[in-house]
Amino acid sequence: MGELRSMGEIELSAGTIEYRDTGGDGPVMVLLHGLLMDATLWDEVVAGLAPRYRCVVPALPLGAHRRPVRRDADLSLPGLARLVAELLQRLGLSDVTLVGNDTGGAIAQLVAADPELSKRVGRLVLVSCEAFDNLPPGLTGRTIALLGRLPAWAFRAFMQQMRLKPVRRLPIAFGWLTRRGDAVTRGWARPILSEPGIARDAVRVLRAVFADRTVLSRAAERLAGFERPALVVWAARDRVMPPEHGRRLAALLPQARLVEVPDSETLIPSTSRTG
């Protein structure tokens, strides 16, 4: 079983981005996480994939990253999609399998829907994610969208409550996103609590991501142009990302296969975790 290497860093247009890379000569998988999460979402998955695959897992500036980005960084969904494409280009990655869960799946859709951004993508995997008009997604998404309207200092003060497990398990927090894995969700809040610059970035990204609520509906119209293999993996009883959206995405993508997971919430990669 492979181990993730320690975090590396790369300077991109948005600023310094940390990423994990298992290395090796196997096929490349790039795995994207969601809002207020980091690369540790994928730890269990990566442990199972390596050493057969080279897994690259960036810590995108979505509110749980450790290095504040530039104040002029474009943190909208299209801007984040361009950042992912820039990362692939700078790391010299090609024919990658691009995998996205939660907001990472929304970013992956925007990459796949743009022929220029998807040049280095050979396969697409969408895992229970925002799609179509589900932006912000469900009760959880609407709550964090409202929090994003707060000043950064007030947002950071509110997030102090995330130190408490009962708060993290509420439906407005991570309670409807994962049944397990509280240890990892606890870690996601630490950068906001310890670094004012991360709280500032978190507010900026929440405002930017939810500013255009039709961006994914427009992207869906172009997904039929992604004619490479695709896999749509969805939690069968997801309360945040409607299962019907998984079926619609699988129908839109010309070479897609749909897999529904019966015993999971939105964060399917954390299904095997305990705590």
Side-chain angles (χ1 to χ4, degrees), residues 62-125:
L62 294 178
H65 53 298
R66 299 188 301 177
R67 297 282 298 272
V69 294
R70 295 179 181 138
R71 291 181 179 271
D72 61 350
D74 184 353
L75 299 181
S76 66
L77 284 176
L80 292 164
R82 289 189 291 271
L83 188 66
V84 168
E86 181 184 356
L87 175 73
L88 301 186
Q89 188 273 327
R90 289 288 308 279
L91 292 179
L93 305 177
S94 60
D95 194 32
V96 308
T97 298
L98 184 64
V99 187
N101 180 210
D102 194 80
T103 313
I107 296 167
Q109 289 172 60
L110 291 173
V111 173
D114 187 319
E116 187 64 29
L117 298 183
S118 63
K119 285 181 177 179
R120 294 175 178 267
V121 178
R123 288 153 299 279
L124 177 69
V125 182

Side-chain angles (χ1 to χ4, degrees), residues 65 78 89 97 165 169 190 219 222:
H65 53 298
Q89 188 273 327
T97 298
K165 183 174 181 178
R169 299 307 305 152
R190 287 178 187 145
R222 306 192 302 274

Side-chain angles (χ1 to χ4, degrees), residues 152-167:
W153 66 266
F155 175 79
R156 188 177 178 217
F158 183 91
M159 289 293 290
Q160 297 293 329
Q161 300 173 81
M162 294 297 287
R163 298 180 186 273
L164 305 175
K165 183 174 181 178
V167 175

Side-chain angles (χ1 to χ4, degrees), residues 121-199:
V121 178
R123 288 153 299 279
L124 177 69
V125 182
L126 301 176
V127 184
S128 278
C129 55
E130 291 101 322
F132 305 107
D133 60 351
N134 190 32
L135 193 71
L139 175 62
T140 306
R142 290 193 295 272
T143 301
I144 64 170
L146 287 172
L147 291 177
R149 298 178 184 178
L150 295 173
W153 66 266
F155 175 79
R156 188 177 178 217
F158 183 91
M159 289 293 290
Q160 297 293 329
Q161 300 173 81
M162 294 297 287
R163 298 180 186 273
L164 305 175
K165 183 174 181 178
V167 175
R168 293 193 297 273
R169 299 307 305 152
L170 290 173
I172 61 172
F174 294 108
W176 281 4
L177 294 178
T178 180
R179 301 178 193 175
R180 310 172 182 92
D182 184 69
V184 71
T185 61
R186 181 173 66 246
W188 293 340
R190 287 178 187 145
I192 288 173
L193 302 180
S194 61
E195 171 56 64
I198 300 300

